[in-house]
Amino acid sequence: MTPMEKIRLLTETRGFRFTKSLGQNFLTDENILRKMAQAADINKEDAVIEIGPGAGIVTEMLLQEAGRVLAVEIDKALIPFLEETLSIYPNFTLWHQDVLQADLAGWIKAQQEAGYKRIKVVGNLPYYVTTPIIMKLLEDQLPIDLMLFMIQKEVAQRLAAKPATKDYGALTVGAQFYCKAEKVFDVSPQVFIPKPNVASAVVRLTRHEVPPADIPDPALFFALVKAAFGQRRKTLHNALSVMPDVEDKAEVARRLGDAGIDPMRRGETL
């Protein structure tokens, strides 16, 4: 069944209506599916989590390539359709849950015990919740080898940004501390139903085997990063001086100077 046939079956025969608040935009282009499969390099030794299967278009491609697939879908209206159309695959598991609340760690542990060598996450993420999902997966430090997401193009550019560019920010630092981030290819709004108002892109996050820096207090580090980028036009001196527990603005300038950092620099240049 082609993507368009599957969407028509869902909408015309089953009466499904897209929910704008859930950011539902279903992929229709089979060429994009092939490019995603190639970018994720999925094989039978992989156990894959898919976030937001929707009509099951990407899911079916994953089921054909991977050893195991867990699809996590928040919209209860899609659950019967996914169960009916994908139950022919013995390697398919479906959870009706919010992925931000799901016990992914437990599922991953079970797959590792079953002998699957790599854990991967794939998803066409709703734009409104892209950053919370990605940062939760990273900060929970789950043993995920690779993540491949179709997201808003602007967010993909931020994830993969280089220092001292306009896209470089707290999200960039957070993602790149844990992963190598690459924007793989752009995706036109024309290949979705309904058509989104923004362009999309596919981004690949490959977890570092060794972190790029030895940080004894990650919580403090990320608090500093968020403060440095909180108001981009502020100097580091001013941005860090408004952090909680900072009582002496002059002490901030002294500490920056001791670290060899000009207090008048902005966070994006550091």
Side-chain angles (χ1 to χ4, degrees):
M1 193 181 302
T2 68
M4 284 302 302
E5 289 171 340
K6 187 166 286 192
I7 292 171
R8 288 194 189 100
L9 177 62
L10 177 63
T11 57
E12 297 176 9
T13 305
R14 308 300 170 82
F16 175 79
R17 295 292 179 265
F18 294 95
T19 303
K20 188 174 182 179
S21 64
L22 294 178
Q24 292 174 327
N25 304 96
F26 295 168
L27 184 65
T28 64
D29 191 307
E30 293 185 72
N31 182 53
I32 299 296
L33 284 175
R34 288 190 288 270
K35 291 176 71 174
M36 290 180 67
Q38 183 177 18
D41 187 27
I42 293 170
N43 61 48
K44 294 299 181 183
E45 294 186 331
D46 297 337
V48 179
I49 298 168
E50 184 190 10
I51 299 172
I57 293 163
V58 176
T59 321
E60 191 153 21
M61 176 269 290
L62 295 173
L63 288 165
Q64 293 168 357
E65 302 290 337
R68 292 290 308 176
V69 175
L70 167 65
V72 184
E73 175 56 58
I74 195 171
D75 188 352
K76 66 179 181 181
L78 290 166
I79 300 302
F81 181 80
L82 291 166
E83 289 175 336
E84 181 179 334
T85 57
L86 298 176
S87 61
I88 60 171
Y89 293 96
N91 57 339
F92 176 56
T93 301
L94 177 63
W95 287 359
H96 172 216
Q97 290 189 39
D98 179 345
V99 72
L100 293 173
Q101 306 299 324
D103 181 19
L104 300 183
W107 188 84
I108 289 171
K109 182 180 179 182
Q111 306 319 304
Q112 291 176 323
E113 291 173 349
Y116 291 101
K117 297 187 180 301
R118 297 184 299 180
I119 305 296
K120 297 180 178 179
V121 179
V122 174
N124 177 11
L125 299 186
Y127 298 148
Y128 75 98
V129 75
T130 293
T131 298
I133 288 175
I134 291 176
M135 292 313 300
K136 178 174 175 58
L137 293 172
L138 294 173
E139 291 171 354
D140 284 357
Q141 299 192 46
L142 300 174
I144 297 168
D145 299 281
L146 181 146
M147 294 182 280
L148 189 83
F149 295 127
M150 187 178 300
I151 59 178
Q152 185 175 346
K153 183 177 178 179
E154 291 179 359
V155 180
Q157 290 173 167
R158 287 166 56 200
L159 287 166
K162 303 297 183 185
T165 63
K166 66 180 180 65
D167 293 319
Y168 190 77
L171 177 61
T172 317
V173 178
Q176 293 185 17
F177 174 73
Y178 294 105
C179 296
K180 176 184 177 182
E182 309 164 87
K183 184 166 78 76
V184 187
F185 58 88
D186 295 333
V187 184
S188 166
Q190 305 300 325
V191 301
F192 295 96
I193 292 180
K195 185 172 71 173
N197 295 323
V198 296
S200 302
V202 170
V203 64
R204 178 170 54 213
L205 304 174
T206 307
R207 185 173 289 275
H208 296 305
E209 292 186 10
V210 178
D214 181 14
I215 296 177
D217 189 346
L220 176 59
F221 170 71
F222 286 115
L224 285 165
V225 169
K226 289 174 183 176
F229 287 101
Q231 297 185 54
R232 296 185 70 101
R233 302 314 301 164
K234 278 192 173 184
T235 64
L236 281 168
H237 181 211
N238 288 332
L240 301 184
S241 294
V242 299
M243 290 182 66
D245 301 326
V246 173
E247 298 178 356
D248 185 356
K249 193 172 181 179
E251 179 67 8
V252 174
R254 286 195 294 273
R255 293 296 183 93
L256 286 167
D258 289 345
I261 299 169
D262 181 355
M264 301 309 292
R265 291 179 69 171
R266 293 185 172 89
E268 64 203 66
T269 71
L270 184 61

